[in-house]
Amino acid sequence: MMMILEAKNPHFLLQSTKPPNDKTHSNKHKRKSIPSVTVCQCLLRNSDAGKLVHEFDPKVPVEKAVTPPSSWYTDPSFFQEELERVFYRGWQAVGCIEHIKDPGDFFTGRLGDVEFLICRDEKGNIRAFHNVCRHHASLLVSSGTAHKASCFVCPYHAWTYGLDGQLLKATRITGIQNFNVKDFGLVPIKVATWGPFVLLNLDKEISWHEADINTVASEWLGSCSEILSTNGVDSSLSYVCRREYTIECNWKVFCDNYLDGGYHVPYAHKGLASGLQLQSYSTKMYEKVSIQSCEGGSMDRKDDYDRLGSKALYAFIYPNFMINRYGPWMDTNLVLPLGPRKCQVVFDYFLEASLKDDKAFIEKSLEDSEQVQIEDIVLCEGVQRGLESPAYTTGRYAPTVEKAMHHFHSLLHYNLTND
């Protein structure tokens, strides 16, 4: 039976942690029917991916360091290595508790090749499963958020599963032998929550009973859990809406853009820059989190609208989750890798309860956020095209502002080189 860890309040006593040790997945046995040339090509790709990792040295201080090579952002074998060693291990933010508030609520998603389904069962427990029917591998339910069901019925042959993942009905199997219904429930995934967020852990090497709620928080946020919760990242905010963008760039390009310490803001986001005191910009690094902060333009709302308030806080949680807290607003950015040169960015918006009915304020805030996102899409897609050009291999860091980016690249290197 799968256990659920759910935290109603994200205040935990934590100890600092290093990035977790990962276990290398063993190579799959090769079938004789695969042509030998294909096997050789696969081995070559794996070898090349390992070689590319070592073209970046995290031990070189940021003042002297060069950035990872462009191949980190373009090579298909490197992308597959990232999925295995970064996204399929450790805790990953995948959604919001808002979407599974009541029994029967569920949402689905995809992380790399993993199709997942998260629901709240009849007893109020949060459960997560691979969104794959055990009969002939059809996706069990369609993609999306904010769905409701009393059970899950496969659209292919109508095999039916309960909210607890148990197989309830297998159609037209008269005469089948050596079949135990208990062996054909949905495949579970480890799930937990922190504040308003839902987390998954796809690591097969970690048995579920080894984790407790403090361990989950410690592994995901390290020593800055309390910092985030005391800066307004909690469950008291009202959920507003979700917006999704598909961008023609590697997922790391979007993260790099976020982590440049406000470097690009005065040049690319003039509207946003006008509401921030960029000279006050600061960055602090923690185990697997970096927090950028900046003073806003005012202490109080101006007239009828002040989205940014007196201070902006931007938290990056390795590898692909961002929390932006400013004024009465919070939004999160979840960057999902779709391929070497494509990603999806999912924005979820939250608002202090006192303004949840202020439609004009919400509309203007979403409009301003949309403008910033459009500007960032143009930047990120332009960077991706530049990375694919023969004119570029590596770059340099601006030491005073891009320390968080260097920290991100160093964490990636750690995951990709440690078993």
mmCIF file with all atom_site columns, all heavy atoms in Angstrom, residues 82-101:
data_model
loop_
_atom_site.group_PDB
_atom_site.id
_atom_site.type_symbol
_atom_site.label_atom_id
_atom_site.label_alt_id
_atom_site.label_comp_id
_atom_site.label_asym_id
_atom_site.label_entity_id
_atom_site.label_seq_id
_atom_site.pdbx_PDB_ins_code
_atom_site.Cartn_x
_atom_site.Cartn_y
_atom_site.Cartn_z
_atom_site.occupancy
_atom_site.B_iso_or_equiv
_atom_site.pdbx_formal_charge
_atom_site.auth_seq_id
_atom_site.auth_comp_id
_atom_site.auth_asym_id
_atom_site.auth_atom_id
_atom_site.pdbx_PDB_model_num
ATOM 1   N N   . GLU A 1 82  ? 19.910  13.701 -18.675 1.00 0.00 ? 82  GLU A N   1
ATOM 2   C CA  . GLU A 1 82  ? 19.266  14.581 -17.696 1.00 0.00 ? 82  GLU A CA  1
ATOM 3   C C   . GLU A 1 82  ? 17.970  13.980 -17.170 1.00 0.00 ? 82  GLU A C   1
ATOM 4   O O   . GLU A 1 82  ? 17.688  14.044 -15.971 1.00 0.00 ? 82  GLU A O   1
ATOM 5   C CB  . GLU A 1 82  ? 18.977  15.939 -18.328 1.00 0.00 ? 82  GLU A CB  1
ATOM 6   C CG  . GLU A 1 82  ? 20.193  16.791 -18.554 1.00 0.00 ? 82  GLU A CG  1
ATOM 7   C CD  . GLU A 1 82  ? 19.840  18.104 -19.213 1.00 0.00 ? 82  GLU A CD  1
ATOM 8   O OE1 . GLU A 1 82  ? 18.921  18.136 -20.070 1.00 0.00 ? 82  GLU A OE1 1
ATOM 9   O OE2 . GLU A 1 82  ? 20.472  19.120 -18.886 1.00 0.00 ? 82  GLU A OE2 1
ATOM 10  N N   . LEU A 1 83  ? 17.175  13.425 -18.061 1.00 0.00 ? 83  LEU A N   1
ATOM 11  C CA  . LEU A 1 83  ? 15.927  12.818 -17.614 1.00 0.00 ? 83  LEU A CA  1
ATOM 12  C C   . LEU A 1 83  ? 16.206  11.734 -16.586 1.00 0.00 ? 83  LEU A C   1
ATOM 13  O O   . LEU A 1 83  ? 15.566  11.680 -15.528 1.00 0.00 ? 83  LEU A O   1
ATOM 14  C CB  . LEU A 1 83  ? 15.161  12.224 -18.800 1.00 0.00 ? 83  LEU A CB  1
ATOM 15  C CG  . LEU A 1 83  ? 14.575  13.212 -19.812 1.00 0.00 ? 83  LEU A CG  1
ATOM 16  C CD1 . LEU A 1 83  ? 13.829  12.448 -20.911 1.00 0.00 ? 83  LEU A CD1 1
ATOM 17  C CD2 . LEU A 1 83  ? 13.632  14.212 -19.150 1.00 0.00 ? 83  LEU A CD2 1
ATOM 18  N N   . GLU A 1 84  ? 17.165  10.862 -16.874 1.00 0.00 ? 84  GLU A N   1
ATOM 19  C CA  . GLU A 1 84  ? 17.458  9.739  -15.992 1.00 0.00 ? 84  GLU A CA  1
ATOM 20  C C   . GLU A 1 84  ? 18.054  10.185 -14.663 1.00 0.00 ? 84  GLU A C   1
ATOM 21  O O   . GLU A 1 84  ? 17.675  9.685  -13.601 1.00 0.00 ? 84  GLU A O   1
ATOM 22  C CB  . GLU A 1 84  ? 18.426  8.770  -16.679 1.00 0.00 ? 84  GLU A CB  1
ATOM 23  C CG  . GLU A 1 84  ? 17.821  8.006  -17.847 1.00 0.00 ? 84  GLU A CG  1
ATOM 24  C CD  . GLU A 1 84  ? 16.768  7.009  -17.396 1.00 0.00 ? 84  GLU A CD  1
ATOM 25  O OE1 . GLU A 1 84  ? 16.835  6.559  -16.242 1.00 0.00 ? 84  GLU A OE1 1
ATOM 26  O OE2 . GLU A 1 84  ? 15.884  6.677  -18.211 1.00 0.00 ? 84  GLU A OE2 1
ATOM 27  N N   . ARG A 1 85  ? 18.964  11.126 -14.692 1.00 0.00 ? 85  ARG A N   1
ATOM 28  C CA  . ARG A 1 85  ? 19.743  11.451 -13.503 1.00 0.00 ? 85  ARG A CA  1
ATOM 29  C C   . ARG A 1 85  ? 19.228  12.667 -12.735 1.00 0.00 ? 85  ARG A C   1
ATOM 30  O O   . ARG A 1 85  ? 19.597  12.864 -11.574 1.00 0.00 ? 85  ARG A O   1
ATOM 31  C CB  . ARG A 1 85  ? 21.200  11.674 -13.888 1.00 0.00 ? 85  ARG A CB  1
ATOM 32  C CG  . ARG A 1 85  ? 21.934  10.411 -14.294 1.00 0.00 ? 85  ARG A CG  1
ATOM 33  C CD  . ARG A 1 85  ? 23.360  10.729 -14.718 1.00 0.00 ? 85  ARG A CD  1
ATOM 34  N NE  . ARG A 1 85  ? 24.132  9.505  -14.896 1.00 0.00 ? 85  ARG A NE  1
ATOM 35  C CZ  . ARG A 1 85  ? 24.913  8.977  -13.969 1.00 0.00 ? 85  ARG A CZ  1
ATOM 36  N NH1 . ARG A 1 85  ? 25.015  9.544  -12.790 1.00 0.00 ? 85  ARG A NH1 1
ATOM 37  N NH2 . ARG A 1 85  ? 25.597  7.884  -14.212 1.00 0.00 ? 85  ARG A NH2 1
ATOM 38  N N   . VAL A 1 86  ? 18.417  13.489 -13.379 1.00 0.00 ? 86  VAL A N   1
ATOM 39  C CA  . VAL A 1 86  ? 17.939  14.714 -12.720 1.00 0.00 ? 86  VAL A CA  1
ATOM 40  C C   . VAL A 1 86  ? 16.442  14.632 -12.426 1.00 0.00 ? 86  VAL A C   1
ATOM 41  O O   . VAL A 1 86  ? 16.015  14.821 -11.280 1.00 0.00 ? 86  VAL A O   1
ATOM 42  C CB  . VAL A 1 86  ? 18.245  15.958 -13.583 1.00 0.00 ? 86  VAL A CB  1
ATOM 43  C CG1 . VAL A 1 86  ? 17.679  17.224 -12.926 1.00 0.00 ? 86  VAL A CG1 1
ATOM 44  C CG2 . VAL A 1 86  ? 19.745  16.097 -13.804 1.00 0.00 ? 86  VAL A CG2 1
ATOM 45  N N   . PHE A 1 87  ? 15.645  14.327 -13.432 1.00 0.00 ? 87  PHE A N   1
ATOM 46  C CA  . PHE A 1 87  ? 14.192  14.399 -13.272 1.00 0.00 ? 87  PHE A CA  1
ATOM 47  C C   . PHE A 1 87  ? 13.569  13.119 -12.728 1.00 0.00 ? 87  PHE A C   1
ATOM 48  O O   . PHE A 1 87  ? 12.491  13.158 -12.141 1.00 0.00 ? 87  PHE A O   1
ATOM 49  C CB  . PHE A 1 87  ? 13.537  14.786 -14.595 1.00 0.00 ? 87  PHE A CB  1
ATOM 50  C CG  . PHE A 1 87  ? 13.809  16.205 -14.983 1.00 0.00 ? 87  PHE A CG  1
ATOM 51  C CD1 . PHE A 1 87  ? 14.815  16.510 -15.872 1.00 0.00 ? 87  PHE A CD1 1
ATOM 52  C CD2 . PHE A 1 87  ? 13.084  17.246 -14.424 1.00 0.00 ? 87  PHE A CD2 1
ATOM 53  C CE1 . PHE A 1 87  ? 15.086  17.823 -16.226 1.00 0.00 ? 87  PHE A CE1 1
ATOM 54  C CE2 . PHE A 1 87  ? 13.345  18.562 -14.752 1.00 0.00 ? 87  PHE A CE2 1
ATOM 55  C CZ  . PHE A 1 87  ? 14.351  18.842 -15.655 1.00 0.00 ? 87  PHE A CZ  1
ATOM 56  N N   . TYR A 1 88  ? 14.221  11.986 -12.931 1.00 0.00 ? 88  TYR A N   1
ATOM 57  C CA  . TYR A 1 88  ? 13.662  10.734 -12.430 1.00 0.00 ? 88  TYR A CA  1
ATOM 58  C C   . TYR A 1 88  ? 14.190  10.385 -11.042 1.00 0.00 ? 88  TYR A C   1
ATOM 59  O O   . TYR A 1 88  ? 14.029  9.263  -10.574 1.00 0.00 ? 88  TYR A O   1
ATOM 60  C CB  . TYR A 1 88  ? 13.979  9.585  -13.392 1.00 0.00 ? 88  TYR A CB  1
ATOM 61  C CG  . TYR A 1 88  ? 13.336  9.722  -14.755 1.00 0.00 ? 88  TYR A CG  1
ATOM 62  C CD1 . TYR A 1 88  ? 13.771  8.928  -15.822 1.00 0.00 ? 88  TYR A CD1 1
ATOM 63  C CD2 . TYR A 1 88  ? 12.311  10.633 -14.997 1.00 0.00 ? 88  TYR A CD2 1
ATOM 64  C CE1 . TYR A 1 88  ? 13.193  9.034  -17.082 1.00 0.00 ? 88  TYR A CE1 1
ATOM 65  C CE2 . TYR A 1 88  ? 11.745  10.754 -16.249 1.00 0.00 ? 88  TYR A CE2 1
ATOM 66  C CZ  . TYR A 1 88  ? 12.184  9.962  -17.288 1.00 0.00 ? 88  TYR A CZ  1
ATOM 67  O OH  . TYR A 1 88  ? 11.630  10.078 -18.542 1.00 0.00 ? 88  TYR A OH  1
ATOM 68  N N   . ARG A 1 89  ? 14.812  11.334 -10.373 1.00 0.00 ? 89  ARG A N   1
ATOM 69  C CA  . ARG A 1 89  ? 15.348  11.123 -9.028  1.00 0.00 ? 89  ARG A CA  1
ATOM 70  C C   . ARG A 1 89  ? 15.012  12.325 -8.151  1.00 0.00 ? 89  ARG A C   1
ATOM 71  O O   . ARG A 1 89  ? 15.026  13.459 -8.613  1.00 0.00 ? 89  ARG A O   1
ATOM 72  C CB  . ARG A 1 89  ? 16.861  10.925 -9.078  1.00 0.00 ? 89  ARG A CB  1
ATOM 73  C CG  . ARG A 1 89  ? 17.278  9.793  -9.993  1.00 0.00 ? 89  ARG A CG  1
ATOM 74  C CD  . ARG A 1 89  ? 18.776  9.641  -10.045 1.00 0.00 ? 89  ARG A CD  1
ATOM 75  N NE  . ARG A 1 89  ? 19.159  8.630  -11.029 1.00 0.00 ? 89  ARG A NE  1
ATOM 76  C CZ  . ARG A 1 89  ? 20.395  8.232  -11.230 1.00 0.00 ? 89  ARG A CZ  1
ATOM 77  N NH1 . ARG A 1 89  ? 21.376  8.731  -10.507 1.00 0.00 ? 89  ARG A NH1 1
ATOM 78  N NH2 . ARG A 1 89  ? 20.665  7.324  -12.148 1.00 0.00 ? 89  ARG A NH2 1
ATOM 79  N N   . GLY A 1 90  ? 14.727  12.075 -6.918  1.00 0.00 ? 90  GLY A N   1
ATOM 80  C CA  . GLY A 1 90  ? 14.449  13.170 -5.993  1.00 0.00 ? 90  GLY A CA  1
ATOM 81  C C   . GLY A 1 90  ? 13.056  13.732 -6.163  1.00 0.00 ? 90  GLY A C   1
ATOM 82  O O   . GLY A 1 90  ? 12.286  13.329 -7.045  1.00 0.00 ? 90  GLY A O   1
ATOM 83  N N   . TRP A 1 91  ? 12.714  14.678 -5.315  1.00 0.00 ? 91  TRP A N   1
ATOM 84  C CA  . TRP A 1 91  ? 11.379  15.270 -5.317  1.00 0.00 ? 91  TRP A CA  1
ATOM 85  C C   . TRP A 1 91  ? 11.261  16.337 -6.389  1.00 0.00 ? 91  TRP A C   1
ATOM 86  O O   . TRP A 1 91  ? 12.149  17.161 -6.563  1.00 0.00 ? 91  TRP A O   1
ATOM 87  C CB  . TRP A 1 91  ? 11.060  15.855 -3.942  1.00 0.00 ? 91  TRP A CB  1
ATOM 88  C CG  . TRP A 1 91  ? 10.938  14.797 -2.903  1.00 0.00 ? 91  TRP A CG  1
ATOM 89  C CD1 . TRP A 1 91  ? 11.869  14.435 -1.977  1.00 0.00 ? 91  TRP A CD1 1
ATOM 90  C CD2 . TRP A 1 91  ? 9.810   13.932 -2.710  1.00 0.00 ? 91  TRP A CD2 1
ATOM 91  N NE1 . TRP A 1 91  ? 11.394  13.382 -1.216  1.00 0.00 ? 91  TRP A NE1 1
ATOM 92  C CE2 . TRP A 1 91  ? 10.135  13.058 -1.634  1.00 0.00 ? 91  TRP A CE2 1
ATOM 93  C CE3 . TRP A 1 91  ? 8.564   13.808 -3.330  1.00 0.00 ? 91  TRP A CE3 1
ATOM 94  C CZ2 . TRP A 1 91  ? 9.257   12.078 -1.182  1.00 0.00 ? 91  TRP A CZ2 1
ATOM 95  C CZ3 . TRP A 1 91  ? 7.697   12.828 -2.879  1.00 0.00 ? 91  TRP A CZ3 1
ATOM 96  C CH2 . TRP A 1 91  ? 8.044   11.977 -1.821  1.00 0.00 ? 91  TRP A CH2 1
ATOM 97  N N   . GLN A 1 92  ? 10.137  16.290 -7.113  1.00 0.00 ? 92  GLN A N   1
ATOM 98  C CA  . GLN A 1 92  ? 9.867   17.242 -8.189  1.00 0.00 ? 92  GLN A CA  1
ATOM 99  C C   . GLN A 1 92  ? 8.486   17.858 -7.975  1.00 0.00 ? 92  GLN A C   1
ATOM 100 O O   . GLN A 1 92  ? 7.504   17.144 -7.764  1.00 0.00 ? 92  GLN A O   1
ATOM 101 C CB  . GLN A 1 92  ? 9.871   16.522 -9.549  1.00 0.00 ? 92  GLN A CB  1
ATOM 102 C CG  . GLN A 1 92  ? 11.082  15.663 -9.815  1.00 0.00 ? 92  GLN A CG  1
ATOM 103 C CD  . GLN A 1 92  ? 12.294  16.469 -10.222 1.00 0.00 ? 92  GLN A CD  1
ATOM 104 O OE1 . GLN A 1 92  ? 12.171  17.600 -10.672 1.00 0.00 ? 92  GLN A OE1 1
ATOM 105 N NE2 . GLN A 1 92  ? 13.482  15.900 -10.054 1.00 0.00 ? 92  GLN A NE2 1
ATOM 106 N N   . ALA A 1 93  ? 8.406   19.175 -8.040  1.00 0.00 ? 93  ALA A N   1
ATOM 107 C CA  . ALA A 1 93  ? 7.106   19.839 -8.000  1.00 0.00 ? 93  ALA A CA  1
ATOM 108 C C   . ALA A 1 93  ? 6.373   19.560 -9.305  1.00 0.00 ? 93  ALA A C   1
ATOM 109 O O   . ALA A 1 93  ? 6.955   19.651 -10.388 1.00 0.00 ? 93  ALA A O   1
ATOM 110 C CB  . ALA A 1 93  ? 7.282   21.343 -7.810  1.00 0.00 ? 93  ALA A CB  1
ATOM 111 N N   . VAL A 1 94  ? 5.086   19.209 -9.205  1.00 0.00 ? 94  VAL A N   1
ATOM 112 C CA  . VAL A 1 94  ? 4.324   18.873 -10.415 1.00 0.00 ? 94  VAL A CA  1
ATOM 113 C C   . VAL A 1 94  ? 2.957   19.557 -10.480 1.00 0.00 ? 94  VAL A C   1
ATOM 114 O O   . VAL A 1 94  ? 2.286   19.488 -11.518 1.00 0.00 ? 94  VAL A O   1
ATOM 115 C CB  . VAL A 1 94  ? 4.123   17.350 -10.551 1.00 0.00 ? 94  VAL A CB  1
ATOM 116 C CG1 . VAL A 1 94  ? 5.461   16.655 -10.779 1.00 0.00 ? 94  VAL A CG1 1
ATOM 117 C CG2 . VAL A 1 94  ? 3.416   16.773 -9.335  1.00 0.00 ? 94  VAL A CG2 1
ATOM 118 N N   . GLY A 1 95  ? 2.517   20.200 -9.397  1.00 0.00 ? 95  GLY A N   1
ATOM 119 C CA  . GLY A 1 95  ? 1.184   20.810 -9.440  1.00 0.00 ? 95  GLY A CA  1
ATOM 120 C C   . GLY A 1 95  ? 0.795   21.418 -8.113  1.00 0.00 ? 95  GLY A C   1
ATOM 121 O O   . GLY A 1 95  ? 1.625   21.602 -7.214  1.00 0.00 ? 95  GLY A O   1
ATOM 122 N N   . CYS A 1 96  ? -0.494  21.724 -7.993  1.00 0.00 ? 96  CYS A N   1
ATOM 123 C CA  . CYS A 1 96  ? -1.025  22.439 -6.833  1.00 0.00 ? 96  CYS A CA  1
ATOM 124 C C   . CYS A 1 96  ? -2.101  21.611 -6.126  1.00 0.00 ? 96  CYS A C   1
ATOM 125 O O   . CYS A 1 96  ? -2.883  20.907 -6.774  1.00 0.00 ? 96  CYS A O   1
ATOM 126 C CB  . CYS A 1 96  ? -1.657  23.762 -7.261  1.00 0.00 ? 96  CYS A CB  1
ATOM 127 S SG  . CYS A 1 96  ? -0.555  24.825 -8.181  1.00 0.00 ? 96  CYS A SG  1
ATOM 128 N N   . ILE A 1 97  ? -2.141  21.740 -4.815  1.00 0.00 ? 97  ILE A N   1
ATOM 129 C CA  . ILE A 1 97  ? -3.184  21.076 -4.039  1.00 0.00 ? 97  ILE A CA  1
ATOM 130 C C   . ILE A 1 97  ? -4.567  21.574 -4.448  1.00 0.00 ? 97  ILE A C   1
ATOM 131 O O   . ILE A 1 97  ? -5.556  20.835 -4.358  1.00 0.00 ? 97  ILE A O   1
ATOM 132 C CB  . ILE A 1 97  ? -2.950  21.305 -2.531  1.00 0.00 ? 97  ILE A CB  1
ATOM 133 C CG1 . ILE A 1 97  ? -1.658  20.631 -2.090  1.00 0.00 ? 97  ILE A CG1 1
ATOM 134 C CG2 . ILE A 1 97  ? -4.115  20.770 -1.701  1.00 0.00 ? 97  ILE A CG2 1
ATOM 135 C CD1 . ILE A 1 97  ? -1.301  20.861 -0.647  1.00 0.00 ? 97  ILE A CD1 1
ATOM 136 N N   . GLU A 1 98  ? -4.635  22.804 -4.932  1.00 0.00 ? 98  GLU A N   1
ATOM 137 C CA  . GLU A 1 98  ? -5.911  23.388 -5.360  1.00 0.00 ? 98  GLU A CA  1
ATOM 138 C C   . GLU A 1 98  ? -6.651  22.478 -6.326  1.00 0.00 ? 98  GLU A C   1
ATOM 139 O O   . GLU A 1 98  ? -7.882  22.406 -6.324  1.00 0.00 ? 98  GLU A O   1
ATOM 140 C CB  . GLU A 1 98  ? -5.655  24.740 -6.020  1.00 0.00 ? 98  GLU A CB  1
ATOM 141 C CG  . GLU A 1 98  ? -6.860  25.394 -6.674  1.00 0.00 ? 98  GLU A CG  1
ATOM 142 C CD  . GLU A 1 98  ? -7.894  25.865 -5.664  1.00 0.00 ? 98  GLU A CD  1
ATOM 143 O OE1 . GLU A 1 98  ? -7.527  26.083 -4.491  1.00 0.00 ? 98  GLU A OE1 1
ATOM 144 O OE2 . GLU A 1 98  ? -9.063  26.014 -6.050  1.00 0.00 ? 98  GLU A OE2 1
ATOM 145 N N   . HIS A 1 99  ? -5.904  21.758 -7.163  1.00 0.00 ? 99  HIS A N   1
ATOM 146 C CA  . HIS A 1 99  ? -6.522  20.923 -8.189  1.00 0.00 ? 99  HIS A CA  1
ATOM 147 C C   . HIS A 1 99  ? -7.009  19.579 -7.672  1.00 0.00 ? 99  HIS A C   1
ATOM 148 O O   . HIS A 1 99  ? -7.625  18.807 -8.416  1.00 0.00 ? 99  HIS A O   1
ATOM 149 C CB  . HIS A 1 99  ? -5.537  20.717 -9.344  1.00 0.00 ? 99  HIS A CB  1
ATOM 150 C CG  . HIS A 1 99  ? -5.188  21.988 -10.055 1.00 0.00 ? 99  HIS A CG  1
ATOM 151 N ND1 . HIS A 1 99  ? -3.905  22.314 -10.458 1.00 0.00 ? 99  HIS A ND1 1
ATOM 152 C CD2 . HIS A 1 99  ? -5.971  23.045 -10.401 1.00 0.00 ? 99  HIS A CD2 1
ATOM 153 C CE1 . HIS A 1 99  ? -3.922  23.496 -11.035 1.00 0.00 ? 99  HIS A CE1 1
ATOM 154 N NE2 . HIS A 1 99  ? -5.147  23.959 -11.012 1.00 0.00 ? 99  HIS A NE2 1
ATOM 155 N N   . ILE A 1 100 ? -6.714  19.274 -6.405  1.00 0.00 ? 100 ILE A N   1
ATOM 156 C CA  . ILE A 1 100 ? -7.190  18.014 -5.801  1.00 0.00 ? 100 ILE A CA  1
ATOM 157 C C   . ILE A 1 100 ? -7.718  18.305 -4.398  1.00 0.00 ? 100 ILE A C   1
ATOM 158 O O   . ILE A 1 100 ? -7.350  17.628 -3.436  1.00 0.00 ? 100 ILE A O   1
ATOM 159 C CB  . ILE A 1 100 ? -6.080  16.938 -5.779  1.00 0.00 ? 100 ILE A CB  1
ATOM 160 C CG1 . ILE A 1 100 ? -4.753  17.520 -5.278  1.00 0.00 ? 100 ILE A CG1 1
ATOM 161 C CG2 . ILE A 1 100 ? -5.908  16.299 -7.152  1.00 0.00 ? 100 ILE A CG2 1
ATOM 162 C CD1 . ILE A 1 100 ? -3.692  16.487 -5.036  1.00 0.00 ? 100 ILE A CD1 1
ATOM 163 N N   . LYS A 1 101 ? -8.583  19.265 -4.279  1.00 0.00 ? 101 LYS A N   1
ATOM 164 C CA  . LYS A 1 101 ? -9.109  19.679 -2.972  1.00 0.00 ? 101 LYS A CA  1
ATOM 165 C C   . LYS A 1 101 ? -10.063 18.652 -2.378  1.00 0.00 ? 101 LYS A C   1
ATOM 166 O O   . LYS A 1 101 ? -10.089 18.436 -1.174  1.00 0.00 ? 101 LYS A O   1
ATOM 167 C CB  . LYS A 1 101 ? -9.829  21.027 -3.102  1.00 0.00 ? 101 LYS A CB  1
ATOM 168 C CG  . LYS A 1 101 ? -8.918  22.203 -3.358  1.00 0.00 ? 101 LYS A CG  1
ATOM 169 C CD  . LYS A 1 101 ? -9.653  23.524 -3.163  1.00 0.00 ? 101 LYS A CD  1
ATOM 170 C CE  . LYS A 1 101 ? -10.856 23.629 -4.076  1.00 0.00 ? 101 LYS A CE  1
ATOM 171 N NZ  . LYS A 1 101 ? -11.508 24.962 -3.962  1.00 0.00 ? 101 LYS A NZ  1
#
